[in-house]
Amino acid sequence: DSGVTQTPKHLITATGQRVTLRCSPRSGDLSVYWYQQSLDQGLQFLIHYYNGEERAKGNILERFSAQQFPDLHSELNLSSLELGDSALYFCASSPRRESTEAFFGQGTRLTVV
Amino acid sequence: GQQLNQSPQSMFIQEGEDVSMNCTSSSIFNTWLWYKQDPGEGPVLLIALYKAGELTSNGRLTAQFGITRKDSFLNISASIPSDVGIYFCAGQGGLMDSNYQLIWGAGTKLIIKP
């Protein structure tokens, strides 16, 4: 158990809908990272938050947004969903701004039908 | 931008065999990390390397930070069924805002032949 909690574990939704994925980092970790992993693909970095502030953006679509709350949990919002958005979405946390030795949650498997 | 080439893409091996995989970069990294991902799970950190030439072991796993700082290797000795999974390398260029994000390899899928 990495200490990073993601909910829900599975999500099935229709095209055009909006969903929210939630991540609770390890106790004391200030950094939260979101990644997307499509079937049999590597990890695509989406966005990084540190202590409530956005620090870096990767290949994140405009239909996607995220935020980190004062209690350090984070939410990834995906809207106007398309079939191609079906993927595993991982959250990772680390104690520092840098992403070295980030700890990953178990992921949310999103299926868009 | 920075890219990582990880090879091989997949490996079919017999139980008990040794395994080698590597990652090469187009630019210099200051940190190399190796992760393993089991099916349906998030990646788990196996080994972290912070210095060129560094050789670090974790049980049957050994990883090395290449002298040129552009490559890293992971070896698994005497493979067992629970070694099955996808192994990812990741590199970090430094601590400046422009290059501290991890760059990820595409993964090496390890399959053990029955």
Side-chain angles (χ1 to χ4, degrees), chain B:
Chain B
Q2 292 177 314
Q3 290 188 358
L4 275 187
N5 292 313
Q6 185 170 352
S7 64
Q9 190 173 13
S10 60
M11 302 182 74
F12 291 80
I13 61 166
Q14 298 277 7
E15 184 177 347
E17 285 183 2
D18 295 344
V19 172
S20 289
M21 60 190 78
N22 70 85
C23 277
T24 58
S25 167
S26 57
S27 54
I28 288 171
F29 283 137
N30 289 328
T31 301
W32 283 97
L33 306 174
W34 285 93
Y35 283 83
K36 182 192 178 208
Q37 184 179 22
D38 290 327
E41 302 289 328
V44 174
L45 181 65
L46 299 174
I47 293 178
L49 302 160
Y50 298 103
K51 213 160 61 166
E54 181 181 354
L55 186 72
T56 298
S57 292
N58 178 3
R60 293 177 296 103
L61 277 60
T62 302
Q64 183 163 25
F65 193 141
I67 292 289
T68 65
R69 293 166 62 195
K70 290 185 176 184
D71 58 7
S72 179
F73 305 86
L74 176 69
N75 296 316
I76 306 172
S77 62
S79 58
I80 60 177
S82 62
D83 291 334
V84 164
I86 303 176
Y87 292 80
F88 290 101
C89 63
Q92 183 191 55
L95 301 181
M96 307 267 301
D97 276 353
S98 59
N99 63 0
Y100 74 85
Q101 291 297 335
L102 287 176
I103 309 297
W104 291 81
T108 294
K109 193 170 190 175
L110 185 62
I111 301 160
I112 294 187
K113 292 184 272 193

Side-chain angles (χ1 to χ4, degrees), chain A residues 27-84:
Chain A
S27 177
D29 283 0
L30 298 178
S31 273
V32 169
Y33 309 85
W34 285 98
Y35 288 87
Q36 180 192 56
Q37 186 179 38
S38 300
L39 187 64
D40 288 338
Q41 298 292 313
L43 291 158
Q44 296 294 321
F45 167 66
L46 296 178
I47 198 163
H48 170 212
Y49 278 84
Y50 176 76
N51 203 20
E53 290 188 10
E54 181 186 303
R55 295 297 302 183
K57 266 186 174 178
N59 299 320
I60 188 166
L61 299 171
E62 284 191 13
R63 300 183 285 109
F64 296 180
S65 65
Q67 54 185 328
Q68 187 180 28
F69 294 86
D71 67 353
L72 301 177
H73 91 272
S74 178
E75 292 181 355
L76 179 67
N77 301 297
L78 315 176
S79 61
S80 302
L81 284 167
E82 302 174 0
L83 295 177

